[in-house]
Amino acid sequence: MTIVRTERGLTIAGTRITLYDVIDHLKAQYPPKFIRDVFNLTDEQLRAAISYIEAHQTDVEAQDQEILKSAEETRQYWEERNHVKC
């Protein structure tokens, strides 16, 4: 299996690259060769990631939005916590 679920979410097997990383680059309209090279993926790994994203687009995008929301909440928490009033 090329796509596996890890504690980080849907990941390309044998890498630390998540499908959400790939989605961000696809949304930015980077060409597949660029995405492959940025993440040091094989053609097969990238094809599998794109195929999985296309086949499960609604679910993958929903998970991506949840991750972005969680990251923003974490960023806001730490920004507020680290804000020092003088």
mmCIF file of all heavy atoms in Angstrom, residues 38-79:
data_model
loop_
_atom_site.group_PDB
_atom_site.id
_atom_site.type_symbol
_atom_site.label_atom_id
_atom_site.label_comp_id
_atom_site.label_asym_id
_atom_site.label_seq_id
_atom_site.Cartn_x
_atom_site.Cartn_y
_atom_site.Cartn_z
ATOM 1 N N VAL A 38 10.375 18.497 -5.065
ATOM 2 C CA VAL A 38 10.382 19.170 -3.763
ATOM 3 C C VAL A 38 10.363 18.147 -2.629
ATOM 4 O O VAL A 38 11.077 18.290 -1.636
ATOM 5 C CB VAL A 38 9.185 20.139 -3.634
ATOM 6 C CG1 VAL A 38 8.945 20.540 -2.194
ATOM 7 C CG2 VAL A 38 9.393 21.359 -4.490
ATOM 8 N N PHE A 39 9.541 17.110 -2.786
ATOM 9 C CA PHE A 39 9.384 16.118 -1.725
ATOM 10 C C PHE A 39 10.242 14.872 -1.929
ATOM 11 O O PHE A 39 10.163 13.925 -1.148
ATOM 12 C CB PHE A 39 7.912 15.721 -1.584
ATOM 13 C CG PHE A 39 7.046 16.853 -1.107
ATOM 14 C CD1 PHE A 39 6.010 17.324 -1.883
ATOM 15 C CD2 PHE A 39 7.271 17.456 0.119
ATOM 16 C CE1 PHE A 39 5.200 18.365 -1.450
ATOM 17 C CE2 PHE A 39 6.478 18.499 0.569
ATOM 18 C CZ PHE A 39 5.439 18.952 -0.222
ATOM 19 N N ASN A 40 11.059 14.887 -2.981
ATOM 20 C CA ASN A 40 11.952 13.760 -3.267
ATOM 21 C C ASN A 40 11.163 12.444 -3.375
ATOM 22 O O ASN A 40 11.501 11.447 -2.742
ATOM 23 C CB ASN A 40 13.054 13.659 -2.208
ATOM 24 C CG ASN A 40 14.202 12.786 -2.660
ATOM 25 O OD1 ASN A 40 14.482 12.691 -3.852
ATOM 26 N ND2 ASN A 40 14.859 12.137 -1.716
ATOM 27 N N LEU A 41 10.096 12.487 -4.172
ATOM 28 C CA LEU A 41 9.246 11.322 -4.368
ATOM 29 C C LEU A 41 9.572 10.648 -5.696
ATOM 30 O O LEU A 41 10.103 11.293 -6.604
ATOM 31 C CB LEU A 41 7.770 11.744 -4.383
ATOM 32 C CG LEU A 41 7.235 12.393 -3.118
ATOM 33 C CD1 LEU A 41 5.828 12.933 -3.359
ATOM 34 C CD2 LEU A 41 7.242 11.404 -1.968
ATOM 35 N N THR A 42 9.216 9.392 -5.789
ATOM 36 C CA THR A 42 9.304 8.714 -7.079
ATOM 37 C C THR A 42 8.055 9.066 -7.883
ATOM 38 O O THR A 42 7.060 9.541 -7.328
ATOM 39 C CB THR A 42 9.381 7.182 -6.909
ATOM 40 O OG1 THR A 42 8.142 6.725 -6.350
ATOM 41 C CG2 THR A 42 10.552 6.769 -6.015
ATOM 42 N N ASP A 43 8.109 8.819 -9.176
ATOM 43 C CA ASP A 43 6.923 9.046 -10.000
ATOM 44 C C ASP A 43 5.761 8.207 -9.480
ATOM 45 O O ASP A 43 4.623 8.676 -9.426
ATOM 46 C CB ASP A 43 7.208 8.690 -11.466
ATOM 47 C CG ASP A 43 8.106 9.708 -12.161
ATOM 48 O OD1 ASP A 43 8.107 10.889 -11.763
ATOM 49 O OD2 ASP A 43 8.810 9.316 -13.113
ATOM 50 N N GLU A 44 6.040 6.973 -9.088
ATOM 51 C CA GLU A 44 4.999 6.079 -8.584
ATOM 52 C C GLU A 44 4.365 6.623 -7.308
ATOM 53 O O GLU A 44 3.144 6.591 -7.152
ATOM 54 C CB GLU A 44 5.574 4.684 -8.317
ATOM 55 C CG GLU A 44 4.549 3.707 -7.802
ATOM 56 C CD GLU A 44 5.132 2.336 -7.476
ATOM 57 O OE1 GLU A 44 6.179 1.986 -8.034
ATOM 58 O OE2 GLU A 44 4.523 1.645 -6.645
ATOM 59 N N GLN A 45 5.188 7.120 -6.385
ATOM 60 C CA GLN A 45 4.653 7.673 -5.136
ATOM 61 C C GLN A 45 3.755 8.872 -5.403
ATOM 62 O O GLN A 45 2.682 8.994 -4.823
ATOM 63 C CB GLN A 45 5.791 8.070 -4.198
ATOM 64 C CG GLN A 45 6.514 6.908 -3.583
ATOM 65 C CD GLN A 45 7.759 7.356 -2.824
ATOM 66 O OE1 GLN A 45 8.520 8.202 -3.306
ATOM 67 N NE2 GLN A 45 7.951 6.787 -1.644
ATOM 68 N N LEU A 46 4.198 9.755 -6.294
ATOM 69 C CA LEU A 46 3.399 10.937 -6.590
ATOM 70 C C LEU A 46 2.107 10.555 -7.299
ATOM 71 O O LEU A 46 1.035 11.073 -6.966
ATOM 72 C CB LEU A 46 4.183 11.942 -7.434
ATOM 73 C CG LEU A 46 3.433 13.236 -7.745
ATOM 74 C CD1 LEU A 46 3.013 13.953 -6.463
ATOM 75 C CD2 LEU A 46 4.258 14.135 -8.629
ATOM 76 N N ARG A 47 2.172 9.642 -8.252
ATOM 77 C CA ARG A 47 0.962 9.188 -8.937
ATOM 78 C C ARG A 47 -0.021 8.586 -7.942
ATOM 79 O O ARG A 47 -1.225 8.847 -7.993
ATOM 80 C CB ARG A 47 1.307 8.159 -10.020
ATOM 81 C CG ARG A 47 1.659 8.768 -11.358
ATOM 82 C CD ARG A 47 1.656 7.732 -12.469
ATOM 83 N NE ARG A 47 2.544 6.606 -12.229
ATOM 84 C CZ ARG A 47 3.831 6.559 -12.535
ATOM 85 N NH1 ARG A 47 4.395 7.595 -13.126
ATOM 86 N NH2 ARG A 47 4.560 5.494 -12.284
ATOM 87 N N ALA A 48 0.489 7.773 -7.016
ATOM 88 C CA ALA A 48 -0.383 7.150 -6.012
ATOM 89 C C ALA A 48 -1.031 8.211 -5.137
ATOM 90 O O ALA A 48 -2.224 8.120 -4.818
ATOM 91 C CB ALA A 48 0.415 6.173 -5.158
ATOM 92 N N ALA A 49 -0.276 9.220 -4.739
ATOM 93 C CA ALA A 49 -0.821 10.290 -3.900
ATOM 94 C C ALA A 49 -1.908 11.054 -4.644
ATOM 95 O O ALA A 49 -3.002 11.284 -4.105
ATOM 96 C CB ALA A 49 0.291 11.237 -3.464
ATOM 97 N N ILE A 50 -1.640 11.440 -5.874
ATOM 98 C CA ILE A 50 -2.618 12.193 -6.651
ATOM 99 C C ILE A 50 -3.857 11.340 -6.925
ATOM 100 O O ILE A 50 -4.984 11.818 -6.808
ATOM 101 C CB ILE A 50 -1.987 12.725 -7.954
ATOM 102 C CG1 ILE A 50 -0.950 13.810 -7.606
ATOM 103 C CG2 ILE A 50 -3.055 13.276 -8.892
ATOM 104 C CD1 ILE A 50 -0.118 14.284 -8.780
ATOM 105 N N SER A 51 -3.655 10.079 -7.242
ATOM 106 C CA SER A 51 -4.793 9.175 -7.490
ATOM 107 C C SER A 51 -5.651 9.029 -6.243
ATOM 108 O O SER A 51 -6.883 9.054 -6.323
ATOM 109 C CB SER A 51 -4.301 7.798 -7.935
ATOM 110 O OG SER A 51 -3.700 7.880 -9.192
ATOM 111 N N TYR A 52 -5.006 8.884 -5.086
ATOM 112 C CA TYR A 52 -5.747 8.750 -3.829
ATOM 113 C C TYR A 52 -6.533 10.025 -3.551
ATOM 114 O O TYR A 52 -7.704 9.971 -3.179
ATOM 115 C CB TYR A 52 -4.799 8.436 -2.679
ATOM 116 C CG TYR A 52 -5.533 8.066 -1.416
ATOM 117 C CD1 TYR A 52 -5.742 6.736 -1.087
ATOM 118 C CD2 TYR A 52 -6.043 9.042 -0.566
ATOM 119 C CE1 TYR A 52 -6.433 6.381 0.065
ATOM 120 C CE2 TYR A 52 -6.734 8.704 0.584
ATOM 121 C CZ TYR A 52 -6.931 7.368 0.896
ATOM 122 O OH TYR A 52 -7.629 7.029 2.025
ATOM 123 N N ILE A 53 -5.892 11.156 -3.731
ATOM 124 C CA ILE A 53 -6.558 12.441 -3.491
ATOM 125 C C ILE A 53 -7.770 12.579 -4.405
ATOM 126 O O ILE A 53 -8.854 12.982 -3.967
ATOM 127 C CB ILE A 53 -5.570 13.614 -3.691
ATOM 128 C CG1 ILE A 53 -4.528 13.619 -2.570
ATOM 129 C CG2 ILE A 53 -6.310 14.952 -3.755
ATOM 130 C CD1 ILE A 53 -3.332 14.515 -2.833
ATOM 131 N N GLU A 54 -7.609 12.232 -5.678
ATOM 132 C CA GLU A 54 -8.718 12.349 -6.625
ATOM 133 C C GLU A 54 -9.853 11.383 -6.279
ATOM 134 O O GLU A 54 -11.025 11.744 -6.367
ATOM 135 C CB GLU A 54 -8.230 12.107 -8.052
ATOM 136 C CG GLU A 54 -7.370 13.243 -8.576
ATOM 137 C CD GLU A 54 -6.724 12.944 -9.918
ATOM 138 O OE1 GLU A 54 -6.753 11.767 -10.374
ATOM 139 O OE2 GLU A 54 -6.167 13.885 -10.509
ATOM 140 N N ALA A 55 -9.516 10.158 -5.875
ATOM 141 C CA ALA A 55 -10.528 9.142 -5.573
ATOM 142 C C ALA A 55 -11.277 9.427 -4.277
ATOM 143 O O ALA A 55 -12.417 9.002 -4.109
ATOM 144 C CB ALA A 55 -9.884 7.760 -5.512
ATOM 145 N N HIS A 56 -10.619 10.131 -3.358
ATOM 146 C CA HIS A 56 -11.211 10.407 -2.040
ATOM 147 C C HIS A 56 -11.216 11.912 -1.754
ATOM 148 O O HIS A 56 -11.032 12.334 -0.615
ATOM 149 C CB HIS A 56 -10.415 9.685 -0.947
ATOM 150 C CG HIS A 56 -10.310 8.211 -1.157
ATOM 151 N ND1 HIS A 56 -9.281 7.635 -1.841
ATOM 152 C CD2 HIS A 56 -11.139 7.212 -0.785
ATOM 153 C CE1 HIS A 56 -9.463 6.326 -1.872
ATOM 154 N NE2 HIS A 56 -10.588 6.047 -1.247
ATOM 155 N N GLN A 57 -11.445 12.703 -2.776
ATOM 156 C CA GLN A 57 -11.273 14.152 -2.696
ATOM 157 C C GLN A 57 -12.048 14.797 -1.553
ATOM 158 O O GLN A 57 -11.493 15.579 -0.788
ATOM 159 C CB GLN A 57 -11.663 14.794 -4.020
ATOM 160 C CG GLN A 57 -11.358 16.274 -4.063
ATOM 161 C CD GLN A 57 -11.495 16.845 -5.457
ATOM 162 O OE1 GLN A 57 -11.810 16.146 -6.403
ATOM 163 N NE2 GLN A 57 -11.270 18.126 -5.582
ATOM 164 N N THR A 58 -13.310 14.461 -1.402
ATOM 165 C CA THR A 58 -14.131 15.091 -0.370
ATOM 166 C C THR A 58 -13.579 14.812 1.022
ATOM 167 O O THR A 58 -13.420 15.732 1.830
ATOM 168 C CB THR A 58 -15.594 14.601 -0.469
ATOM 169 O OG1 THR A 58 -16.076 14.894 -1.780
ATOM 170 C CG2 THR A 58 -16.465 15.278 0.568
ATOM 171 N N ASP A 59 -13.255 13.547 1.297
ATOM 172 C CA ASP A 59 -12.736 13.179 2.616
ATOM 173 C C ASP A 59 -11.365 13.789 2.873
ATOM 174 O O ASP A 59 -11.107 14.307 3.966
ATOM 175 C CB ASP A 59 -12.652 11.659 2.752
ATOM 176 C CG ASP A 59 -14.012 10.995 2.790
ATOM 177 O OD1 ASP A 59 -14.996 11.667 3.180
ATOM 178 O OD2 ASP A 59 -14.102 9.806 2.435
ATOM 179 N N VAL A 60 -10.490 13.734 1.887
ATOM 180 C CA VAL A 60 -9.133 14.258 2.066
ATOM 181 C C VAL A 60 -9.165 15.771 2.275
ATOM 182 O O VAL A 60 -8.482 16.304 3.152
ATOM 183 C CB VAL A 60 -8.230 13.874 0.871
ATOM 184 C CG1 VAL A 60 -6.876 14.547 0.959
ATOM 185 C CG2 VAL A 60 -8.052 12.361 0.799
ATOM 186 N N GLU A 61 -9.993 16.462 1.505
ATOM 187 C CA GLU A 61 -10.079 17.914 1.677
ATOM 188 C C GLU A 61 -10.686 18.288 3.022
ATOM 189 O O GLU A 61 -10.271 19.266 3.645
ATOM 190 C CB GLU A 61 -10.863 18.539 0.524
ATOM 191 C CG GLU A 61 -10.060 18.573 -0.759
ATOM 192 C CD GLU A 61 -10.776 19.262 -1.902
ATOM 193 O OE1 GLU A 61 -11.925 19.715 -1.715
ATOM 194 O OE2 GLU A 61 -10.175 19.350 -2.980
ATOM 195 N N ALA A 62 -11.656 17.506 3.493
ATOM 196 C CA ALA A 62 -12.249 17.766 4.809
ATOM 197 C C ALA A 62 -11.198 17.590 5.904
ATOM 198 O O ALA A 62 -11.111 18.406 6.837
ATOM 199 C CB ALA A 62 -13.432 16.843 5.046
ATOM 200 N N GLN A 63 -10.402 16.542 5.794
ATOM 201 C CA GLN A 63 -9.335 16.318 6.779
ATOM 202 C C GLN A 63 -8.299 17.429 6.711
ATOM 203 O O GLN A 63 -7.804 17.888 7.744
ATOM 204 C CB GLN A 63 -8.667 14.963 6.532
ATOM 205 C CG GLN A 63 -9.560 13.789 6.842
ATOM 206 C CD GLN A 63 -8.938 12.468 6.414
ATOM 207 O OE1 GLN A 63 -7.720 12.311 6.421
ATOM 208 N NE2 GLN A 63 -9.784 11.527 6.029
ATOM 209 N N ASP A 64 -7.975 17.866 5.503
ATOM 210 C CA ASP A 64 -7.019 18.959 5.325
ATOM 211 C C ASP A 64 -7.537 20.215 6.013
ATOM 212 O O ASP A 64 -6.786 20.905 6.716
ATOM 213 C CB ASP A 64 -6.781 19.202 3.834
ATOM 214 C CG ASP A 64 -5.717 20.250 3.572
ATOM 215 O OD1 ASP A 64 -4.677 20.239 4.270
ATOM 216 O OD2 ASP A 64 -5.905 21.077 2.654
ATOM 217 N N GLN A 65 -8.826 20.523 5.866
ATOM 218 C CA GLN A 65 -9.407 21.705 6.498
ATOM 219 C C GLN A 65 -9.365 21.595 8.024
ATOM 220 O O GLN A 65 -9.099 22.574 8.713
ATOM 221 C CB GLN A 65 -10.836 21.937 6.010
ATOM 222 C CG GLN A 65 -10.908 22.407 4.571
ATOM 223 C CD GLN A 65 -10.106 23.669 4.336
ATOM 224 O OE1 GLN A 65 -10.216 24.647 5.073
ATOM 225 N NE2 GLN A 65 -9.272 23.656 3.313
ATOM 226 N N GLU A 66 -9.613 20.396 8.543
ATOM 227 C CA GLU A 66 -9.541 20.190 9.994
ATOM 228 C C GLU A 66 -8.116 20.424 10.508
ATOM 229 O O GLU A 66 -7.919 21.027 11.563
ATOM 230 C CB GLU A 66 -10.006 18.787 10.354
ATOM 231 C CG GLU A 66 -11.503 18.625 10.302
ATOM 232 C CD GLU A 66 -11.958 17.267 10.807
ATOM 233 O OE1 GLU A 66 -11.297 16.696 11.696
ATOM 234 O OE2 GLU A 66 -12.986 16.792 10.290
ATOM 235 N N ILE A 67 -7.143 19.947 9.764
ATOM 236 C CA ILE A 67 -5.739 20.129 10.149
ATOM 237 C C ILE A 67 -5.380 21.605 10.123
ATOM 238 O O ILE A 67 -4.738 22.118 11.044
ATOM 239 C CB ILE A 67 -4.812 19.312 9.234
ATOM 240 C CG1 ILE A 67 -4.988 17.821 9.548
ATOM 241 C CG2 ILE A 67 -3.357 19.734 9.371
ATOM 242 C CD1 ILE A 67 -4.363 16.897 8.542
ATOM 243 N N LEU A 68 -5.799 22.317 9.076
ATOM 244 C CA LEU A 68 -5.520 23.752 8.999
ATOM 245 C C LEU A 68 -6.186 24.508 10.143
ATOM 246 O O LEU A 68 -5.580 25.409 10.735
ATOM 247 C CB LEU A 68 -5.986 24.304 7.652
ATOM 248 C CG LEU A 68 -5.214 23.828 6.431
ATOM 249 C CD1 LEU A 68 -5.880 24.326 5.149
ATOM 250 C CD2 LEU A 68 -3.767 24.274 6.496
ATOM 251 N N LYS A 69 -7.419 24.141 10.483
ATOM 252 C CA LYS A 69 -8.141 24.782 11.587
ATOM 253 C C LYS A 69 -7.420 24.537 12.908
ATOM 254 O O LYS A 69 -7.218 25.450 13.704
ATOM 255 C CB LYS A 69 -9.564 24.256 11.659
ATOM 256 C CG LYS A 69 -10.378 24.868 12.764
ATOM 257 C CD LYS A 69 -11.766 24.284 12.827
ATOM 258 C CE LYS A 69 -12.495 24.821 14.040
ATOM 259 N NZ LYS A 69 -13.727 24.106 14.312
ATOM 260 N N SER A 70 -7.007 23.299 13.131
ATOM 261 C CA SER A 70 -6.295 22.958 14.361
ATOM 262 C C SER A 70 -4.969 23.706 14.462
ATOM 263 O O SER A 70 -4.607 24.209 15.530
ATOM 264 C CB SER A 70 -6.055 21.448 14.415
ATOM 265 O OG SER A 70 -5.320 21.106 15.555
ATOM 266 N N ALA A 71 -4.262 23.789 13.356
ATOM 267 C CA ALA A 71 -2.982 24.511 13.351
ATOM 268 C C ALA A 71 -3.194 25.987 13.662
ATOM 269 O O ALA A 71 -2.410 26.593 14.409
ATOM 270 C CB ALA A 71 -2.290 24.343 11.999
ATOM 271 N N GLU A 72 -4.252 26.574 13.106
ATOM 272 C CA GLU A 72 -4.546 27.982 13.375
ATOM 273 C C GLU A 72 -4.922 28.194 14.835
ATOM 274 O O GLU A 72 -4.486 29.158 15.464
ATOM 275 C CB GLU A 72 -5.663 28.480 12.455
ATOM 276 C CG GLU A 72 -6.071 29.913 12.706
ATOM 277 C CD GLU A 72 -4.962 30.934 12.504
ATOM 278 O OE1 GLU A 72 -3.948 30.632 11.846
ATOM 279 O OE2 GLU A 72 -5.106 32.056 13.041
ATOM 280 N N GLU A 73 -5.710 27.285 15.405
ATOM 281 C CA GLU A 73 -6.073 27.392 16.821
ATOM 282 C C GLU A 73 -4.832 27.288 17.706
ATOM 283 O O GLU A 73 -4.700 28.024 18.686
ATOM 284 C CB GLU A 73 -7.084 26.313 17.181
ATOM 285 C CG GLU A 73 -8.456 26.550 16.586
ATOM 286 C CD GLU A 73 -9.399 25.370 16.729
ATOM 287 O OE1 GLU A 73 -8.972 24.277 17.186
ATOM 288 O OE2 GLU A 73 -10.587 25.530 16.367
ATOM 289 N N THR A 74 -3.934 26.387 17.365
ATOM 290 C CA THR A 74 -2.691 26.239 18.129
ATOM 291 C C THR A 74 -1.841 27.497 18.020
ATOM 292 O O THR A 74 -1.299 27.981 19.019
ATOM 293 C CB THR A 74 -1.893 25.014 17.628
ATOM 294 O OG1 THR A 74 -2.714 23.846 17.792
ATOM 295 C CG2 THR A 74 -0.588 24.847 18.386
ATOM 296 N N ARG A 75 -1.746 28.048 16.815
ATOM 297 C CA ARG A 75 -0.966 29.264 16.616
ATOM 298 C C ARG A 75 -1.545 30.410 17.449
ATOM 299 O O ARG A 75 -0.817 31.128 18.131
ATOM 300 C CB ARG A 75 -0.959 29.660 15.130
ATOM 301 C CG ARG A 75 -0.070 30.880 14.844
ATOM 302 C CD ARG A 75 -0.359 31.469 13.481
ATOM 303 N NE ARG A 75 -1.686 32.046 13.382
ATOM 304 C CZ ARG A 75 -2.067 33.223 13.910
ATOM 305 N NH1 ARG A 75 -1.217 33.934 14.619
ATOM 306 N NH2 ARG A 75 -3.301 33.678 13.756
ATOM 307 N N GLN A 76 -2.876 30.556 17.424
ATOM 308 C CA GLN A 76 -3.516 31.624 18.195
ATOM 309 C C GLN A 76 -3.302 31.434 19.694
ATOM 310 O O GLN A 76 -3.048 32.400 20.412
ATOM 311 C CB GLN A 76 -5.009 31.687 17.884
ATOM 312 C CG GLN A 76 -5.307 32.263 16.527
ATOM 313 C CD GLN A 76 -6.796 32.299 16.224
ATOM 314 O OE1 GLN A 76 -7.623 31.849 17.013
ATOM 315 N NE2 GLN A 76 -7.149 32.836 15.067
ATOM 316 N N TYR A 77 -3.398 30.198 20.158
ATOM 317 C CA TYR A 77 -3.188 29.916 21.578
ATOM 318 C C TYR A 77 -1.803 30.385 22.001
ATOM 319 O O TYR A 77 -1.652 31.094 23.001
ATOM 320 C CB TYR A 77 -3.355 28.421 21.843
ATOM 321 C CG TYR A 77 -2.873 28.017 23.225
ATOM 322 C CD1 TYR A 77 -3.684 28.200 24.339
ATOM 323 C CD2 TYR A 77 -1.602 27.471 23.410
ATOM 324 C CE1 TYR A 77 -3.246 27.844 25.608
ATOM 325 C CE2 TYR A 77 -1.154 27.121 24.671
ATOM 326 C CZ TYR A 77 -1.973 27.305 25.766
ATOM 327 O OH TYR A 77 -1.528 26.961 27.018
ATOM 328 N N TRP A 78 -0.788 29.986 21.247
ATOM 329 C CA TRP A 78 0.581 30.333 21.634
ATOM 330 C C TRP A 78 0.865 31.819 21.450
ATOM 331 O O TRP A 78 1.617 32.416 22.216
ATOM 332 C CB TRP A 78 1.592 29.475 20.888
ATOM 333 C CG TRP A 78 1.604 28.094 21.466
ATOM 334 C CD1 TRP A 78 1.090 26.962 20.919
ATOM 335 C CD2 TRP A 78 2.105 27.716 22.751
ATOM 336 N NE1 TRP A 78 1.239 25.904 21.769
ATOM 337 C CE2 TRP A 78 1.863 26.333 22.907
ATOM 338 C CE3 TRP A 78 2.724 28.395 23.799
ATOM 339 C CZ2 TRP A 78 2.231 25.623 24.050
ATOM 340 C CZ3 TRP A 78 3.094 27.690 24.934
ATOM 341 C CH2 TRP A 78 2.844 26.338 25.042
ATOM 342 N N GLU A 79 0.237 32.424 20.461
ATOM 343 C CA GLU A 79 0.412 33.857 20.274
ATOM 344 C C GLU A 79 -0.147 34.607 21.475
ATOM 345 O O GLU A 79 0.484 35.518 22.003
ATOM 346 C CB GLU A 79 -0.275 34.289 18.982
ATOM 347 C CG GLU A 79 -0.020 35.735 18.637
ATOM 348 C CD GLU A 79 -0.626 36.105 17.294
ATOM 349 O OE1 GLU A 79 -0.032 35.726 16.268
ATOM 350 O OE2 GLU A 79 -1.697 36.743 17.298
#
